[in-house]
Amino acid sequence: NLRQGLYLQGSLQVGEVNALAVPLSAVRTDKPEPYVQLLQPEGDHFVVRHQPVSLGQRAVLDSTSWVAVSQGVQSSQQLLSGQVGQLRDGTLVRIATPAVTPATTAASKAP
């Protein structure tokens, strides 16, 4: 029951696009062209690479903003999230494995 003075917020789906998309927060714009920070495997560590991207349509799904990427990234590549901040191109990165907690260890030994 709507009454005068009440507000309603919603969304309408006006189309659908099948494309590779990345979180908008992962796209960096501090250079002349937008880019993402890729993690390129090299031995037992990763190297950060700045990869220019061509951006397409934007969408919001489950309160996360996404942007379609038409060039520059493949679906098999790993990106750094925008919360990491800017790392220099060529920075060495090691991904730490989570420590096993006693509860996890005990559960894995249970019959």
Side-chain angles (χ1 to χ4, degrees), residues 19-23 66-69 79:
L20 180 64
V22 299
W66 295 83
V67 61
V69 177
L79 304 178

Side-chain angles (χ1 to χ4, degrees), residues 22-26 58-67 83:
V22 299
L24 185 58
S25 63
R58 295 181 184 187
V60 177
L61 298 171
D62 298 328
S63 72
T64 301
S65 295
W66 295 83
V67 61
Q83 295 141 343

